[in-house]
Amino acid sequence: MQEQRKHENLTYLVLWGILFIAPVLSMYLNMKSGDAVSFYWDEVFHVWKQFAGFLILFLIHNFFLAPILVYRQQIKKYILWVVMLIGLFSVSQCITRPDDIGQRREEIEGHRPPHELREQREPPRHLDRPRHHHRPPHPLMLDWHDVFSIIMLILMLGMNLGIKLYFKNRNDQLRMAKLEKENLEQQLEYLKYQINPHFFMNTLNNIHALVDIDPEKAKGTILELSKMMRFILYEGDKKGVPLSREFEFIRNYVTLMKLRYTDKVEVKVELPAEVPDYELPPLMLITFIENAFKHGISYQHASFIHVKAGIEGTKLRFSCRNSKADKPNEEKGGVGLANVKQRLNLIYGTNYTLNIQDEPDIYNVELEIPLT
């Protein structure tokens, strides 16, 4: 917020600086072009005096009136104060207006060299006409100069309001983006905390089954489980992990799962042996493989699970294809595909492709995500 205020005030400072420099620059250009012989500071000071009045009104509007509308949303109160400000300015213009329209001109010409005054005061004889004294207007009547000043004041207040609204909107957008980022990180952390107990629940169920079937294999599964636990403990809380570590985790998981099943279950895993130095969110792919083992293994007939991953440029192509069991496991309590879909949406938005083909006998998942 403070940074936005600094940028806003800097914008005002630059604009007013340009405005106050303009009369000096204009006088200088007139001297260069030959329209004026000398540099008349009195004229510059006169313009600056008028600008100073507008600057005071600008400061009053910027620090006291504009916040009523921009930050407090009090529209009626803002309009009332602005109308009063413009009214006081109009009355001030009428009261301080010179009685003679030529008074200012005489004040300025009093400081000019005599030869310039003769050129301006002695017109050609064929253009010489009787002079008429200017009749001053009524003290409370507006002339064209007053109307022009009021219009300039309204435009100045509108400019001030527009800049203030722009910076407020920009600040709101930055604040919302920050809140959305914090909310995104919290959701991702929540989803990752969901994955860990879900994964361990399925893995411990496999170990429990192996204890009765083959105690020696159960010991091997505990060793594989320790490797995976180490990965989850040290890598699972990171935003991204190297592809090589994620692929190693998948291999350990598949090795553990294969110990439970007979040769009737065909499990193929095709993962690149050497991968580029890319990262992806941890435990993003394992959910699809878990789902394949959970719902694709049949004890009555041959089953298969085919896992494949490849790198194409800066994209990862992953597929998991499995048969479907006659009576798929309907165990509840896991987060499964809903979790991974939500993570993909939060991390990649629309910059990913997920195709799921749920056929009568085959379940196929194809995923394409960008790598960082």
Side-chain angles (χ1 to χ4, degrees):
M1 186 66 176
Q2 295 296 331
E3 192 69 21
Q4 294 296 321
R5 290 285 179 84
K6 291 181 181 179
H7 292 165
E8 180 183 348
N9 292 333
L10 180 61
T11 301
Y12 297 143
L13 183 63
V14 171
L15 292 177
W16 280 104
I18 294 173
L19 193 62
F20 274 86
I21 292 174
V24 180
L25 183 60
S26 176
M27 185 68 70
Y28 177 78
L29 293 176
N30 285 336
M31 288 182 58
K32 288 294 184 179
S33 62
D35 294 340
V37 178
S38 303
F39 196 98
Y40 302 110
W41 279 105
D42 287 343
E43 293 188 19
V44 174
F45 290 145
H46 176 68
V47 175
W48 281 357
K49 182 179 178 181
Q50 293 178 329
F51 285 172
F54 282 100
L55 177 58
I56 293 173
L57 295 175
F58 169 82
L59 294 175
I60 294 174
H61 180 267
N62 181 67
F63 291 105
F64 298 102
L65 302 186
I68 295 176
L69 176 63
V70 176
Y71 300 112
R72 304 176 192 171
Q73 304 295 322
Q74 299 177 358
I75 300 176
K76 294 181 180 180
K77 187 176 180 180
Y78 169 78
I79 294 176
L80 176 63
W81 279 105
V82 169
V83 170
M84 291 177 60
L85 182 68
I86 296 174
L88 291 174
F89 174 77
S90 302
V91 173
S92 175
Q93 285 289 103
C94 296
I95 295 176
T96 60
R97 182 174 53 223
D99 293 335
D100 194 318
I101 195 171
Q103 178 178 336
R104 176 60 194 159
R105 183 181 300 172
E106 292 176 359
E107 292 176 357
I108 295 175
E109 290 176 350
H111 298 276
R112 292 191 177 183
H115 66 277
E116 287 192 25
L117 296 179
R118 285 197 302 270
E119 292 177 0
Q120 294 184 0
R121 292 180 178 178
E122 295 181 3
R125 294 183 177 275
H126 66 281
L127 297 177
D128 193 15
R129 296 180 181 176
R131 296 186 178 179
H132 299 279
H133 293 287
H134 177 74
R135 184 178 181 181
H138 190 276
L140 295 180
M141 290 182 62
L142 299 175
D143 62 8
W144 67 269
H145 181 269
D146 300 328
V147 174
F148 179 76
S149 299
I150 293 173
I151 293 175
M152 291 299 297
L153 174 63
I154 295 174
L155 292 177
M156 181 190 70
L157 299 183
M159 177 271 296
N160 178 213
L161 193 62
I163 293 177
K164 192 169 289 291
L165 287 171
Y166 165 77
F167 278 100
K168 179 182 181 299
N169 182 62
R170 182 182 177 186
N171 181 69
D172 291 342
Q173 290 179 347
L174 293 175
R175 186 161 50 86
M176 289 300 298
K178 182 179 179 180
L179 291 175
E180 289 177 0
K181 181 180 179 181
E182 293 176 353
N183 182 53
L184 171 63
E185 292 176 352
Q186 290 176 358
Q187 291 186 55
L188 290 175
E189 288 298 320
Y190 173 72
L191 291 174
K192 284 193 292 185
Y193 288 140
Q194 279 187 321
I195 287 177
N196 293 349
H198 175 257
F199 167 78
F200 282 119
M201 179 184 65
N202 291 337
T203 305
L204 290 174
N205 285 339
N206 293 335
I207 294 177
H208 178 267
L210 282 175
V211 168
D212 296 330
I213 299 173
D214 192 336
E216 292 299 323
K217 284 187 177 181
K219 295 179 182 179
T221 60
I222 295 175
L223 180 62
E224 296 295 332
L225 178 60
S226 66
K227 297 178 181 178
M228 290 185 290
M229 289 180 65
R230 187 179 300 110
F231 175 85
I232 293 176
L233 182 62
Y234 294 107
E235 306 289 346
D237 59 344
K238 296 181 180 180
K239 293 183 178 180
V241 295
L243 276 175
S244 58
R245 299 297 303 276
E246 184 75 12
F247 289 165
E248 181 183 358
F249 179 81
I250 291 175
R251 292 189 184 96
N252 291 335
Y253 177 79
V254 172
T255 300
L256 185 150
M257 297 298 292
K258 288 172 66 175
L259 294 175
R260 179 178 176 181
Y261 302 108
T262 64
D263 295 337
K264 290 185 178 181
V265 180
E266 180 188 16
V267 180
K268 290 184 178 180
V269 178
E270 299 180 33
L271 302 177
E274 297 182 1
V275 295
D277 188 20
Y278 287 132
E279 292 186 349
L280 80 163
L283 306 174
M284 179 65 74
L285 307 178
I286 196 64
T287 304
F288 299 109
I289 302 175
E290 278 189 283
N291 188 69
F293 276 102
K294 184 177 179 181
H295 301 288
I297 302 301
S298 173
Y299 293 96
Q300 285 75 30
H301 56 79
S303 306
F304 70 90
I305 297 175
H306 295 168
V307 178
K308 185 177 181 180
I311 311 298
E312 295 184 6
T314 58
K315 292 185 177 181
L316 169 68
R317 291 184 179 272
F318 171 83
S319 65
C320 183
R321 183 181 178 89
N322 61 271
S323 56
K324 296 178 68 175
D326 297 332
K327 295 181 180 179
N329 189 350
E330 299 296 338
E331 179 185 352
K332 302 296 181 181
V335 292
L337 294 178
N339 180 296
V340 72
K341 288 179 181 178
Q342 189 173 357
R343 291 184 70 201
L344 287 169
N345 289 330
L346 291 173
I347 297 173
Y348 300 106
T350 58
N351 192 26
Y352 78 95
T353 302
L354 176 63
N355 294 322
I356 298 179
Q357 300 174 353
D358 190 359
E359 301 177 0
D361 299 326
I362 297 175
Y363 192 86
N364 185 43
V365 175
E366 295 182 355
L367 174 66
E368 181 181 302
I369 57 176
L371 295 172
T372 59

